[in-house]
Amino acid sequence: MTATHPTHGHTTAKHGLATGMMVFAAVMLMIAGILAVFRGIAAIAEDEVFVSTRNYIFEFDLTGWGWIHLALGVAAVLISMGLFQGAGWARVTGVGIAGLVIIANFLSLPAYPVWSVIMIAMSAFIIWALCSPRKGDT
């Protein structure tokens, strides 16, 4: 009969949470990426969903924003696939792409304000989940 370490249960629970957080980040990044692809396609097609705002300091053509969101969405989907496989590079690049999604949505805030705020919040949760320590990180 061997003695168990008093914090063994705590470490196991912490590892389960970290694994769950990584899956959460992968799923959320996949969803955010797919939604960004759809938003990009809609903007490229110059859909009537978007608001036209005058005199915005970060003014871009709607088609330009569409291509930016489309590219970020495709990258997010690919990175999320790496997260599902547990690739180390995907964790770092996932934080980076989620940060770029936050910036892109902030800059395109006047075109679709409610959706931009939702995407900023989703990306912030993704960054938080990817930066949560895993077993061996502490």
Side-chain angles (χ1 to χ4, degrees):
M1 184 181 219
T2 60
T4 59
H5 194 274
T7 60
H8 178 71
H10 178 67
T11 304
T12 304
K14 192 182 218 183
H15 175 64
L17 179 63
T19 303
M21 295 300 285
M22 196 61 62
V23 171
F24 169 79
V27 169
M28 292 300 287
L29 191 59
M30 175 75 75
I31 292 168
I34 291 169
L35 293 174
V37 167
F38 289 149
R39 181 178 180 178
I41 292 169
I44 292 168
E46 297 190 18
D47 199 345
E48 299 297 320
V49 175
F50 298 97
V51 178
S52 179
T53 305
R54 295 182 190 194
N55 301 325
Y56 184 55
I57 195 163
F58 302 112
E59 188 175 336
F60 284 95
D61 178 51
L62 186 58
T63 304
W65 278 121
W67 284 109
I68 290 169
H69 287 284
L70 182 65
L72 289 173
V74 168
V77 168
L78 293 174
I79 292 167
S80 71
M81 289 179 194
L83 287 171
F84 281 120
Q85 296 175 355
W89 61 267
R91 188 174 182 193
V92 175
T93 55
V95 171
I97 202 71
L100 290 174
V101 168
I102 288 174
I103 293 168
N105 279 283
F106 173 76
L107 295 176
S108 64
L109 201 56
Y112 209 41
V114 174
W115 188 249
S116 292
V117 170
I118 290 169
M119 291 302 289
I120 288 169
M122 278 180 70
S123 297
F125 279 118
I126 291 165
I127 291 170
W128 171 72
L130 290 174
C131 291
S132 295
R134 297 182 301 175
K135 184 178 180 181
D137 288 349
T138 55

